[in-house]
Amino acid sequence: MTNAAAPVWNHAASTPDRIALRGEEGEEWTYGRLRERAAAVAGRLGEQGVGPGDRVLLVAPSVPEFAFAYYGILAAGAIAVTANTMAPHRELAYIAGDAEVSLVLGWHAITPAPKQAADELSLPYWELRPGLAETGPAEACAILDAHPREDDDTAALLYTSGTTGRPKGSQLTHGNLNACAAVFCDVHAITGDDCAVTGLPLFHVFGQACVMATTMRAGGSLTLLERFHPSTMLAMIRRDHPTFIAGVPTMWNALLRTADDTGADFTGLRLASSGGASLPVEVMRAFEERFGCTIVEGYGLTETTGAATCHLAGRPAKPGHVGRALPGCAVSVRDDDGHELPPGQVGEVHIKGPIVMKGYWNRPDATAEALRDGWLRTGDLGATDDDGDLRIVDRKKDLVIRGGYNVYPREVEEVLYEHPDIVEAAVIGVPDEFYGEEVAAVIAVRPGARLDVSELRAWAKERLSAYKVPHLVAVVDELPKGATGKILKRAIDPALLKADAGTAEAAEPARRDRAAAPPGTPRTSDGTHA
């Protein structure tokens, strides 16, 4: 019966002067101050009538104040619904409406989208400012202790898009968050003496559960970058001398391109945790050589609290693999009939353990489809070897992973179909050296229409988060289809989408009849995982 905010309260009681959080500008927040601000948030939520089980939408970047608000929500017994800071107001309004939130919290420096979403739904809105002084002095309304919660009580709702239907809220429980933090403290030997630096978004499961919750459980310190930039992250590494850092492959690639040869600045760095997408072997090797630390790759989903497998200490990492099941977890590769397959055979990856979500919010059918006898069906195809190490082969669905962010083509396609000049649309992922995959769209327009690609991107950006907007666009007369009229993405000629993302133009008329590749031509994919 432990609230996931309890570690903050415990460390504030035992070591109140230990540094918990650092910001880019050098501001430091002790565990004592973190608890004070979180307690004030929890108290004010109570004054507003927000109680155990109520949902609160939190839209904020990776700043210390995110942690103040997040742990305040959890301490009040409420449920934190965290959303992307790049989401336009209609995405936020959908999430807020679906989760039936009681209140919206939005960081002052981001777009007006959170306020617009709150206004649309007639919900109260708090603008969060540095230090969260607007929550009032701690002694005025603060709670004394985090509200007791059961392991199976929902702590956070993180929305994931689907290839069909609208985004679904993954219910992560207090037990899930505590289990995730405990297992990573164990396998990575994280203690109160460790310092972490990350540019990951805290609204995402990787930053929120695998990094922040783990560091807070250990009693370590966490330096947050509001927005990742390689030069800024390198400066934070030099300033704060972290023992471990966390990010996605595009971040490691960017650091390699930016860093000089002053390796002495990174002598205390022992571990880099990588997830969100498949890590190229050459990037791993170059990073370890340059920075002198080990990159530990893992695999997980929002539905598994970001955790499932990991390369374990003392065992050499196998290129192309994502490690074996974390302690207390199990991985099973199964065929379409649910039978477990032997090592080497490819099937759907299933995961079981204390990190598996409670279910999808108000989606009993989707929950029943995803969770069977305690096992989560991931939708990813993989294979284990004789040692139990997992290799992700491909995906059952057409998920695109751009720089560690999941982009579901169906969601983007539905928006594109709202454009008055678009009559057909197919969104796919194409390999990209920097992002891993880039979002690409092949579209057909109504007769006589002229579509400016730059204007299309601007139009789409008003309706989609920036990372979901197609950066490669080809215009064709007609998309290839099967006998039933279904668009055949595998028959799209990848050559149509090889233009540079910054200069992509609509396909020239002479090439518009080349959308269909010869029969049997596969769609390009780098096979990265969620």
Side-chain angles (χ1 to χ4, degrees), residues 7-9 11-12 15-23 27-35 64 67-68 71 192 194-197 211-212 214-224 240:
V8 171
W9 261 251
H11 292 304
T15 53
D17 296 328
R18 176 176 286 176
I19 301 300
L21 299 164
R22 293 184 177 91
E27 67 273 27
E28 295 182 341
W29 297 84
T30 65
Y31 275 94
R33 286 284 286 159
L34 170 56
R35 179 180 64 176
F68 303 168
Y71 285 112
D194 279 297
C195 171
V197 170
V211 180
M212 182 174 71
T214 298
T215 307
M216 296 298 101
R217 183 181 181 89
S221 63
L222 176 61
T223 296
L224 297 169
D240 294 342

Side-chain angles (χ1 to χ4, degrees), residues 441-466:
V442 181
I443 59 177
V445 299
R446 62 179 177 82
R450 293 180 58 85
L451 189 64
D452 181 272
V453 174
S454 296
E455 292 178 0
L456 174 63
R457 292 196 193 101
W459 176 89
K461 196 170 183 179
E462 294 176 358
R463 295 160 173 81
L464 292 164
S465 296

Side-chain angles (χ1 to χ4, degrees), residues 172-343:
L172 302 184
T173 66
H174 289 269
N176 291 152
L177 294 175
N178 287 327
C180 175
V183 74
F184 282 126
C185 281
D186 180 27
V187 300
H188 294 329
I190 305 299
T191 71
D193 294 326
D194 279 297
C195 171
V197 170
T198 190
L200 291 167
L202 295 182
F203 57 73
H204 187 275
V205 71
F206 190 4
Q208 183 179 135
C210 303
V211 180
M212 182 174 71
T214 298
T215 307
M216 296 298 101
R217 183 181 181 89
S221 63
L222 176 61
T223 296
L224 297 169
L225 280 68
E226 182 172 348
R227 177 174 295 185
F228 173 79
H229 188 279
S231 296
T232 306
M233 189 161 186
L234 289 168
M236 296 302 99
I237 292 172
R238 293 188 176 100
R239 187 192 73 186
D240 294 342
H241 306 291
T243 53
F244 76 97
I245 55 179
V248 296
T250 51
M251 294 180 180
W252 312 134
N253 210 4
L255 290 174
L256 281 170
R257 295 183 182 187
T258 306
D260 53 29
D261 293 324
T262 55
D265 291 334
F266 312 107
T267 53
L269 192 59
R270 65 178 176 85
L271 183 70
S273 176
S274 183
S278 183
L279 179 66
V281 175
E282 58 273 20
V283 174
M284 177 187 292
R285 291 173 177 165
F287 190 90
E288 293 181 353
E289 181 179 346
R290 176 71 64 86
F291 294 103
C293 78
T294 301
I295 288 189
V296 177
E297 189 174 10
Y299 166 75
L301 301 87
T302 300
E303 291 89 340
T304 64
T305 325
T309 72
C310 186
H311 288 300
L312 302 178
R315 299 178 64 247
K318 297 177 182 177
H321 290 71
V322 292
R324 61 176 59 176
L326 288 163
C329 303
V331 171
S332 175
V333 176
R334 303 182 178 186
D335 62 20
D336 289 341
D337 295 322
H339 300 126
E340 188 164 18
L341 296 170

